[in-house]
Amino acid sequence: MHHLHHDFTTPRDHEKPARVNPGEVGTVDVRPDDPVDLPPPGDFRKQTGRSIEVNIPLLAENNRLAAENREHFKSHGLKVINLVSGPGAGKTTLLARTLKELANSISCGVLVGDLETDSDAQRLRHDAVPVAQLTTGSACHLDAHMIAHGFEALHMHNPQLLFIENVGNLVCPAEFDLGETVRVALFACTDGEDKPLKYPPIYRSSHLVLMTKADIAEACGFDRKQARENLKKVCPKAEVIELSSKTGDGFEQWLEFIRGIL
Ligand SMILES: Nc1nc2c(ncn2[C@@H]2O[C@H](COP(=O)(O)OP(=O)(O)OP(=O)(O)O)[C@@H](O)[C@H]2O)c(=O)[nH]1
Ligand SMILES: [Zn+2]
Ligand SMILES: [Zn+2]
């Protein structure tokens, strides 16, 4: 069941996001107008009843907006990749390298979500690509409403591909459809082989799993056979690609996957 800080995310409709051009990095503040504070320790029992009440309409509303996004993207011929993982699995590093490989031949845009800072957006700066940082404040995931605002800010001309880097979180992003074409989960060898078994929904809801940081798998004592078996149990249909954003190993397969959805 979802917790209290998911109460409501209302991007500030009155604040028109600044227009972000290729080569620029913009920030779109999508934090709720009325953020709900986390309850102090020991106080959570008082709060749980409320979180259960708000959860159902919240997700239903998100699903409705996600369907709208999907229609909208489709009418533009735009494909959308939603990257999800726990914190630090390598989403930004992967994206930076991916943009270097693709951005001069494919018209790309990027939305990147974090609670605070635009440091990921700055790392993704690219001459040919508009990049907007979505700062969520307390929200531990992106939702469909935030994506609609962010996409508006990007003002993409003849866009072909939108990358979304979700907030680093192995739990909540699984439940929030953004209207994406495909969802891609990153599973770093530094995460440990057991993560698919412990956090099934994020992997189960993904079309592709990227086993990242392959260059340091050995040093981590990562058992890739076990990891693949665990993924098979949880998401038997998902494609799995092992890669490294440092060395570029496995990247051809990943780029092939992307070209395959365009
Ligand atoms: N060795 C190695 N390190 C990597 C690789 N990809 C990312 N890293 C490192 O892992 C750390 C986290 O990478 P990020 O790309 O910031 O991860 P992230 O998923 O975007 O993190 P959040 O946005 O905070 O959730 C950084 O120190 C990266 O340099 C890789 O393929 N190999
Ligand atoms: Zn990142
Ligand atoms: Zn949460």
Side-chain angles (χ1 to χ4, degrees):
M1 224 357 106
H2 246 83
H3 26 101
L4 195 68
H5 56 285
H6 296 119
D7 236 6
F8 217 163
T9 56
T10 314
R12 297 167 175 183
D13 283 311
H14 49 278
E15 277 176 25
K16 271 267 167 204
R19 181 189 180 124
V20 184
N21 295 308
E24 290 179 355
V25 169
T27 301
V28 182
D29 187 343
V30 293
R31 72 190 70 214
D33 269 336
D34 184 19
V36 180
D37 288 331
L38 287 175
D43 217 19
F44 59 91
R45 290 199 322 154
K46 195 167 80 189
Q47 310 271 6
T48 43
R50 203 172 146 213
S51 75
I52 291 165
E53 274 169 41
V54 298
N55 184 34
I56 293 155
L58 170 69
L59 282 177
E61 175 68 355
N62 184 70
N63 285 339
R64 190 183 68 74
L65 292 170
E68 270 183 31
N69 284 354
R70 194 164 275 118
E71 269 314 298
H72 187 64
F73 296 147
K74 215 169 154 189
S75 73
H76 281 78
L78 176 71
K79 300 298 191 301
V80 181
I81 297 179
N82 178 13
L83 297 171
V84 295
S85 80
K91 299 178 293 301
T92 309
T93 312
L94 175 91
L95 253 182
R97 187 162 189 142
T98 304
L99 290 179
K100 266 195 200 122
E101 302 271 1
L102 292 181
N104 294 316
S105 53
I106 295 170
S107 164
C108 298
V110 177
L111 296 176
V112 48
D114 280 299
L115 275 65
E116 299 288 352
T117 83
D118 70 347
S119 60
D120 274 6
Q122 295 296 348
R123 285 168 61 194
L124 293 170
R125 185 188 285 275
H126 186 292
D127 287 347
V129 181
V131 179
Q133 177 81 48
L134 304 174
T135 47
T136 64
S138 57
C140 52
H141 56 270
L142 295 175
D143 66 30
H145 195 178
M146 298 171 184
I147 294 304
H149 277 256
F151 182 61
E152 195 191 341
L154 292 183
H155 279 275
M156 294 174 72
H157 302 293
N158 308 315
Q160 290 174 285
L161 184 57
L162 174 67
F163 288 102
I164 300 170
E165 178 183 333
N166 218 308
V167 178
N169 180 336
L170 269 178
V171 182
C172 308
E175 293 187 52
F176 286 82
D177 184 6
L178 305 180
E180 69 263 38
T181 313
V182 291
R183 185 176 293 183
V184 176
L186 278 70
F187 172 22
C189 62
T190 45
D191 292 342
E193 303 83 356
D194 57 351
K195 289 305 168 291
L197 302 180
K198 289 183 174 177
Y199 302 91
I202 201 120
Y203 301 98
R204 195 172 283 145
S205 65
S206 294
H207 302 85
L208 169 68
V209 177
L210 298 178
M211 286 172 55
T212 58
K213 310 193 188 182
D215 57 300
I216 52 170
E218 214 143 302
C220 294
F222 184 66
D223 184 344
R224 43 161 60 80
K225 188 162 160 278
Q226 185 67 56
R228 278 183 177 266
E229 273 170 27
N230 292 347
L231 281 172
K232 255 243 130 48
K233 278 183 204 150
V234 168
C235 48
K237 290 197 188 129
E239 192 180 332
V240 179
I241 299 174
E242 290 178 36
L243 55 70
S244 164
S245 304
K246 293 271 163 165
T247 65
D249 281 348
F251 247 69
E252 214 24 72
Q253 220 184 325
W254 159 235
L255 298 177
E256 207 47 50
F257 174 89
I258 295 174
R259 292 189 193 104
I261 65 164
L262 292 179

